Amino acid sequence: QKSFADWIRAINAEKAKLAPEDYVASINNGFTEVKCFGTTTMANLTAFPELVPQISFPIRTCWFGELIDVRGTADADLAAKFLRSAEHWGLAPHAPFTASAELYRRCERLASLLTTHIAESHEEMSMFRDASGPLYDFLKELGRDMSDCGGKTPLAWFLTFRDLSTPLGMTKEWLVVHLNELTDSDSNLLEKSPRNFSIVHCPRSHSYFGHSPFQFERLRALGFNICLGTDSLASNDNLSLFAEMRAFQKEFPNVSPEEILQMVTVNPARALQHKGALARLLAGFRADIIAVPCTKPAAAYEEIVAFDGAVEGTVMDGCVSGHVP
């Protein structure tokens, strides 16, 4: 879609055709796909947390209940009730343009792990900073209260939504997805903000929409924990983190393959509060291992990032799945 708002309209139209059993089948298919690409731990957002108890997930999954209250209230308490059946869970007020400040506050009170989409598109920036644009018009038509628009960027909205004397996230961990549209004033805010939220960049989804260049060097220099994600199949070809690494390398060729690999292993483990348990081959850590071909040990990191295929063997929690050479 030429317009981000039109893309949202198209997604909503497709979702309206689906029944709960379609979502369960889709989620199960997604698990099958990510396993083929060697993923052993996933952060998965779901708009239907009531379905989670019906799903037998084959990999370690942190479920986030995605919440939107544009057209009415969103029951964060009920979402948390369903998600507590999973070992790892959190809440996801979708984005500032679809979730109210009160919903963000409620999610912070209920969950210790949270995620949200911030500053994804040009249209989101226009909506909040300029009180104009296709996304502004679309949400106004839906009946959203637009009084929080005008004079403030999406990131500024996020960093101040609590309206408290302490900065956002002083006691809670957030995974902030995207941060594609940042102004100089946003950079000043980030310099002053605590570094206790992680940033998730989705290279191929970013390319799909043609967003502004991701400011990786600036965010890395500020000390933020940066991870790579797939976003979703609504704006991507598949759920391969290997493909995300290759796309990121094309975007930032001066970043070492070792650092790129950390952005799908060590950094996400830290973001999901598994820093001392996942993503390293050390005594006391969970034994998650995948095998990929390597012909030049001295260039192992380069070969891992370049790998383009299905992972045949996986060890997860010390249990072998498939053929491990």
Side-chain angles (χ1 to χ4, degrees):
Q1 302 290 337
K2 294 181 180 179
S3 162
F4 186 70
D6 287 344
W7 177 78
I8 294 174
R9 289 188 178 95
I11 294 296
N12 288 342
E14 291 301 313
K15 288 172 68 174
K17 303 173 185 177
L18 302 176
E21 55 267 27
D22 297 316
Y23 283 103
V24 172
S26 176
I27 291 167
N28 287 330
N29 289 340
F31 275 125
T32 299
E33 181 170 327
V34 295
K35 280 192 68 179
C36 287
F37 292 117
T39 299
T40 63
T41 302
M42 178 170 64
N44 192 49
L45 277 68
T46 176
F48 302 96
E50 66 273 15
L51 299 179
V52 172
Q54 303 177 33
I55 298 165
S56 177
F57 28 105
I59 66 172
R60 190 179 299 104
T61 305
C62 182
W63 291 92
F64 288 90
E66 188 170 73
L67 298 164
I68 293 173
D69 63 351
V70 170
R71 288 178 165 172
T73 58
D75 198 334
D77 296 79
L78 185 61
K81 178 181 177 181
F82 286 117
L83 292 170
R84 287 189 183 105
S85 65
E87 182 180 358
H88 306 289
W89 66 277
L91 293 175
H94 173 253
F97 59 89
T98 52
S100 66
E102 180 51 41
L103 180 56
Y104 272 83
R105 296 185 192 108
R106 185 60 188 159
C107 289
E108 270 213 325
R109 288 193 289 268
L110 287 169
S112 60
L113 192 60
L114 304 113
T115 187
T116 188
H117 300 75
I118 300 289
E120 180 175 2
S121 67
H122 300 285
E123 292 178 30
E124 184 181 348
M125 178 63 76
S126 295
M127 170 180 163
F128 281 97
R129 184 184 59 192
D130 309 321
S132 65
L135 188 62
Y136 179 92
D137 295 338
F138 170 54
L139 290 164
K140 186 176 181 179
E141 290 171 9
L142 292 181
R144 182 190 186 278
D145 179 3
M146 309 305 286
S147 61
D148 58 350
C149 298
K152 185 178 290 186
T153 68
L155 179 66
W157 185 98
F158 175 68
L159 292 174
T160 58
F161 79 81
R162 295 176 75 196
D163 194 26
L164 300 173
S165 59
T166 56
L168 170 72
M170 287 298 288
T171 58
K172 301 289 183 172
E173 294 285 343
W174 283 84
L175 286 77
V176 175
V177 185
H178 300 309
L179 285 191
N180 297 323
E181 305 291 332
L182 297 175
T183 65
D184 290 339
S185 63
D186 286 331
S187 296
N188 293 333
L189 285 174
L190 288 171
E191 288 180 4
K192 300 173 184 176
S193 70
R195 305 298 190 267
N196 53 356
F197 63 85
S198 297
I199 298 168
V200 184
H201 175 48
C202 305
R204 291 184 296 160
S205 178
H206 184 278
S207 175
Y208 173 88
F209 288 108
H211 294 311
S212 296
F214 181 61
Q215 298 184 32
F216 172 72
E217 289 90 351
R218 178 181 290 186
L219 295 169
R220 178 178 58 177
L222 289 173
F224 285 98
N225 181 45
I226 303 174
C227 315
L228 299 183
T230 61
D231 206 3
S232 82
L233 292 177
S235 59
N236 212 333
D237 295 326
N238 58 42
L239 301 176
S240 168
L241 286 174
F242 286 98
E244 298 300 338
M245 287 193 287
R246 292 194 300 274
F248 181 86
Q249 187 176 54
K250 184 177 180 180
E251 188 180 7
F252 299 98
N254 294 326
V255 179
S256 73
E258 181 178 1
E259 184 174 358
I260 295 173
L261 181 61
Q262 290 174 348
M263 294 167 69
V264 298
T265 53
V266 177
N267 295 5
R270 173 184 168 190
L272 292 172
Q273 300 179 0
H274 288 301
K275 183 180 178 181
L278 294 177
R280 294 185 185 275
L281 299 177
L282 295 173
F285 278 59
R286 310 292 282 268
D288 286 11
I289 305 167
I290 62 174
V292 299
C294 179
T295 59
K296 301 176 182 177
Y301 291 115
E302 288 88 341
E303 292 200 52
I304 292 170
V305 172
F307 178 71
D308 184 10
V311 174
E312 295 183 359
T314 300
V315 177
M316 190 169 67
D317 277 337
C319 298
V320 177
S321 173
H323 169 67
V324 180

